């Protein structure tokens, strides 16, 4: 089946045996045999040290990647380390984060939550050091970067257990709802922001919440000499002129960092000096699954126009919680815990693991509903993050998920998910198989895609009807997953399929 992927401008072709061909390069997705991998170190050690054989970043690429990268990383034999001996982060990331916080009027970056900053979209995130620091502050970062044959940015971030996905908006919108993020961050992300009549900034405005911040840092353009101030102004002048027309204000500028704040007052657009760009018609605010970029301002009529400084915690109704929230997991959570979420997991031959005994880090809920699995992990104090995926033809609950401070994205499961092979530890689908019955692709297509993105020794848990689970179990055997069916014994016709992908070496 031939699939056109708009976020890459790349054609991926799946054959019947599960081989994925990308740009002429074959990646054997069925067994994940592209290279011999090692299981990541347990979190949080895996955030700071990764196996170099698990990513497409060779020693030569590392050595030629520039002085900034060399300061960020240490290559030690078969490992890449992102910390120094005393555990501090390289290249002044902590100082940089504190600088950003001070520029928006905070005492320190520990106060990001007080300013309403819970979610950050990090565009062109490098190797994730800023995102790793935000995680330590309990801020949810999502790294996006364009596809790279080396797998450098997104692949390394995911290997570190940080939220990331392939994405760019050169010609199309990102698959996030309007008004999604509290802060959007760009450091040397190689985007010419005033290109295409400012359409890239309009897309940032679309997904930025009222009162949110756009942080732009461009060390490569650091001015020198006595005319440095003039050069800095000339660099940002085209952007600053345009941002005034979309009701952004330049909050602060320090060294090479500029911070704009989006207006919290929706009436600002009526009092602009220029009517360009115009306000979108209400009908243009449709689910943004890789829709073409627009040249109008959206989200101004949304009921979600709530300044980040004023919002309260999103509360779902008791009915929503009962149907799709945490209570939906109550019937089988205790069944899964001994199998997957043991407090003392151990592979054969391993020594007893050290605290916090966390074998899982990257989790995907493939049919997230209202983010109930994510909430259950939080309740259980599991050190994981969840990519909440809402299928494009399901009810669009993604705005509610994002308002809860969770990571989430729209996706069509008849297309490959925008990530590299073997990047998730655990895949979950509640009612996913029933949803697929109305799709244009078959169940085997989706299972092969799951196998592609699942790490060796990773887990798949599918909860669905008896008929759907029986069919999935037969297909799981064909791709050599270890599978078992669990009856929650709650009087329903629901069954749970628990699978584990084996670790196969060449």
């Amino acid at each position: 089946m031939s699939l056109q992927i708009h976020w890459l401008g790349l054609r991926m072709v799946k054959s019947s045996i599960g081989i994925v061909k990308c740009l002429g390069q074959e990646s054997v997705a069925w067994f994940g045999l592209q290279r011999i991998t090692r299981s990541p170190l347990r979190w949080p050690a895996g955030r700071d040290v990764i196996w170099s054989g698990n990513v497409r970043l060779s020693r030569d690429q590392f050595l030629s990647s520039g002085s900034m990268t060399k300061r960020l990383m240490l290559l030690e034999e078969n490992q890449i380390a992102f910390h120094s001996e005393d555990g501090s982060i390289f290249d002044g990331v902590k100082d940089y984060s504190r600088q950003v916080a001070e520029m928006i009027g905070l005492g320190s970056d520990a106060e990001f939550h007080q300013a309403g900053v819970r979610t950050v979209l990090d565009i062109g995130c490098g190797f994730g050091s800023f995102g790793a620091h935000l995680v330590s502050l309990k801020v949810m970062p999502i790294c996006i970067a364009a596809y790279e044959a080396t797998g450098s940015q997104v692949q390394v971030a995911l290997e570190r257990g940080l939220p990331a996905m392939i994405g760019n908006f050169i010609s199309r919108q990102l698959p996030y709802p309007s008004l999604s993020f509290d802060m959007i961050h760009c450091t040397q992300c190689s985007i010419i922001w005033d290109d295409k009549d400012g359409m890239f900034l309009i897309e940032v405005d679309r997904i930025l919440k009222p009162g949110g911040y756009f942080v732009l840092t461009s060390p490569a353009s650091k001015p020198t000499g006595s005319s440095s101030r003039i050069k800095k102004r000339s660099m940002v002048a085209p952007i600053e002129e345009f941002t005034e027309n979309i009701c952004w204000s330049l909050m602060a500028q320090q060294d090479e960092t500029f911070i704009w704040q989006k207006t919290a007052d929706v009436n600002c657009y009526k009092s602009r000096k220029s009517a360009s760009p115009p306000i979108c018609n209400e009908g243009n605010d449709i689910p943004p699954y890789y829709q073409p970029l627009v040249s109008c301002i959206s989200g101004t009529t949304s009921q979600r126009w709530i300044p980040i400084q004023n919002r309260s915690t999103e509360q779902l109704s008791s009915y929503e919680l009962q149907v799709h929230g945490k209570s939906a997991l109550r019937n089988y959570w205790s069944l899964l815990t001994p199998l997957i979420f043991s407090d003392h997991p151990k592979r054969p031959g391993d020594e007893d693991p050290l605290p916090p005994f966390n074998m899982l880090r990257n989790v995907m809920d493939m049919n997230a509903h209202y983010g109930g699995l994510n909430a259950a992990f939080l309740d259980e104090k599991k050190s994981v993050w969840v990519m909440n995926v809402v299928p494009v033809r399901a009810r669009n609950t993604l705005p509610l998920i994002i308002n809860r401070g969770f990571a989430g994205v729209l996706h069509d499961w008849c297309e490959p998910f925008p990530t590299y092979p073997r990047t998730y530890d655990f895949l979950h689908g509640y009612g996913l198989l029933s949803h697929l019955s109305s799709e244009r692709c078959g169940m085997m297509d989706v299972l092969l895609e799951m196998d592609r993105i699942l790490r060796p020794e990773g887990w798949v848990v599918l909860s669905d009807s008896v008929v759907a689970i029986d069919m999935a179990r037969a297909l799981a055997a064909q791709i050599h997953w270890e599978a078992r069916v669990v009856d929650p014994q709650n009087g329903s016709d629901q069954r749970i399929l628990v699978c584990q992908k084996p670790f196969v070496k060449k």
Side-chain angles (χ1 to χ4, degrees):
M1 157 174 76
S2 179
L3 303 174
Q4 181 69 38
I5 303 187
H6 301 296
W7 35 267
L8 296 179
L10 165 68
R11 185 170 294 276
M12 300 180 74
V13 183
K14 285 186 178 180
S15 76
S16 60
I17 61 171
I19 296 179
V20 179
K21 297 181 179 179
C22 298
L23 297 178
Q25 180 180 12
E26 290 192 353
S27 168
V28 183
W30 194 16
F31 288 109
L33 292 177
Q34 189 173 30
R35 64 175 66 229
I36 297 175
T37 59
R38 301 182 65 173
S39 296
L41 301 177
R42 295 177 178 87
W43 181 268
R47 176 191 57 199
D48 300 324
V49 180
I50 66 174
W51 300 111
S52 56
N54 284 2
V55 295
R56 288 182 170 274
L57 186 66
S58 68
R59 186 182 188 89
D60 290 340
Q61 290 167 337
F62 162 71
L63 292 175
S64 63
S65 57
S67 59
M68 180 178 179
T69 304
K70 292 174 187 176
R71 292 197 301 270
L72 284 170
M73 301 164 58
L74 293 176
L75 191 63
E76 300 173 353
E77 297 180 355
N78 57 353
Q79 292 183 338
I80 302 174
F82 297 83
H83 61 83
S84 62
E85 292 181 358
D86 62 0
S88 62
I89 300 176
F90 275 85
D91 209 57
V93 171
K94 290 183 178 180
D95 291 337
Y96 172 72
S97 178
R98 183 168 57 249
Q99 174 189 337
V100 170
E102 291 172 352
M103 290 175 69
I104 63 176
L106 305 178
S108 72
D109 55 5
E111 300 176 5
F112 273 141
H113 271 257
Q114 297 179 26
V117 178
R118 296 185 304 170
T119 57
V120 176
L121 184 69
D122 195 4
I123 303 173
C125 57
F127 297 107
S129 291
F130 184 54
H133 182 60
L134 291 176
V135 167
S136 71
L137 301 174
K138 300 188 184 307
V139 173
M140 171 60 72
I142 299 180
C143 160
I144 63 167
Y147 172 80
E148 300 165 291
T150 59
S152 296
Q153 298 183 67
V154 170
Q155 189 181 44
V156 170
L158 285 164
E159 188 66 22
R160 299 182 66 184
L162 303 172
M165 59 178 284
I166 300 169
N168 61 61
F169 45 79
I170 299 305
S171 62
R172 297 187 178 269
Q173 295 179 346
L174 293 170
Y176 312 120
S178 299
L179 315 180
S180 288
F181 295 97
D182 307 316
M183 178 182 286
I184 297 178
H185 175 262
C186 161
T187 296
Q188 274 187 300
C189 57
S190 303
I191 295 176
I192 304 175
W193 288 105
D194 57 333
D195 200 8
K196 292 191 176 183
D197 298 323
M199 290 181 73
F200 300 152
L201 287 172
I202 292 176
E203 172 64 0
V204 169
D205 180 81
R206 182 186 71 82
I207 59 177
L208 189 62
K209 291 185 178 182
Y213 307 96
F214 176 56
V215 181
L216 175 63
T217 301
S218 300
S221 59
K222 182 177 181 180
T224 57
S226 59
S227 61
S228 62
R229 182 174 180 82
I230 296 175
K231 291 181 179 179
K232 286 179 182 178
R233 296 302 302 169
S234 64
M235 178 189 72
V236 77
I239 301 177
E240 186 173 6
E241 181 178 351
F242 187 84
T243 54
E244 290 179 358
N245 292 336
I246 57 175
C247 287
W248 291 8
S249 58
L250 182 61
M251 280 194 73
Q253 179 261 312
Q254 185 175 333
D255 299 325
E256 298 83 39
T257 299
F258 300 81
I259 299 181
W260 285 268
Q261 185 174 28
K262 178 177 177 175
T263 185
D265 180 10
V266 73
N267 294 317
C268 171
Y269 301 101
K270 298 178 181 178
S271 59
R272 293 179 297 163
K273 296 179 181 178
S274 171
S276 178
I279 305 297
C280 295
N281 295 327
E282 289 187 15
N284 284 0
D285 196 15
I286 59 178
Y289 187 65
Y290 302 112
Q291 298 290 328
L293 289 174
V294 298
S295 56
C296 57
I297 300 170
S298 60
T300 58
T301 60
S302 172
Q303 295 181 352
R304 299 171 57 239
W305 185 279
I306 302 172
I308 63 173
Q309 297 83 1
N310 298 344
R311 71 179 170 214
S312 59
T313 303
E314 184 75 16
Q315 296 293 330
L316 298 178
S317 70
S318 58
Y319 173 77
E320 290 166 340
L321 286 174
Q322 180 68 27
V323 175
H324 294 302
K326 289 177 283 186
S327 61
L329 302 171
R330 193 174 301 148
N331 290 334
Y332 68 87
W333 186 261
S334 60
L335 297 173
L336 299 180
T337 298
L339 297 174
I340 302 174
F341 308 116
S342 171
D343 288 335
H344 198 73
K346 182 178 178 181
R347 299 186 187 94
D350 276 2
E351 296 181 359
D352 289 346
L354 297 174
F357 313 134
N358 196 22
M359 299 283 286
L360 303 178
R361 176 60 186 172
N362 300 349
V363 175
M364 179 184 290
D365 194 354
M366 300 174 68
N367 191 21
H369 300 287
Y370 290 94
L373 181 72
N374 202 149
F377 274 123
L378 290 178
D379 286 351
E380 295 292 321
K381 295 182 169 48
K382 298 296 181 181
S383 181
V384 304
W385 69 273
V386 180
M387 179 63 77
N388 295 278
V389 181
V390 175
V392 290
R393 277 172 285 280
R395 180 183 177 187
N396 186 12
T397 56
L398 189 55
L400 289 169
I401 290 171
I402 287 178
N403 283 357
R404 301 178 77 178
F406 300 161
V409 65
L410 288 170
H411 185 64
D412 182 348
W413 280 116
C414 290
E415 298 182 5
F417 189 81
T419 191
Y420 292 87
R422 301 174 310 280
T423 43
Y424 282 86
D425 305 310
F426 175 55
L427 306 177
H428 174 263
Y430 180 84
L432 176 68
L433 303 179
S434 296
H435 170 77
L436 291 173
S437 64
S438 61
E439 296 295 303
R440 67 186 188 278
C441 54
M443 188 182 296
M444 179 57 105
D445 295 311
V446 178
L447 292 182
L448 288 172
E449 172 62 4
M450 294 164 69
D451 188 81
R452 181 185 74 87
I453 66 180
L454 189 65
R455 295 187 197 272
E457 295 187 334
W459 294 88
V460 174
V461 175
L462 300 171
S463 178
D464 221 296
S465 66
V466 173
V467 173
I469 290 297
D470 286 345
M471 182 181 300
R473 182 180 186 179
L475 296 176
Q478 294 183 37
I479 53 178
H480 295 254
W481 287 354
E482 300 170 4
R484 72 188 80 177
V485 175
V486 178
D487 183 353
Q489 296 183 348
N490 58 358
S492 72
D493 66 344
Q494 294 290 109
R495 295 295 183 270
I496 303 165
L497 181 65
V498 180
C499 306
Q500 187 174 32
K501 177 180 176 177
F503 195 113
V504 181
K505 297 184 180 181
K506 287 184 178 178

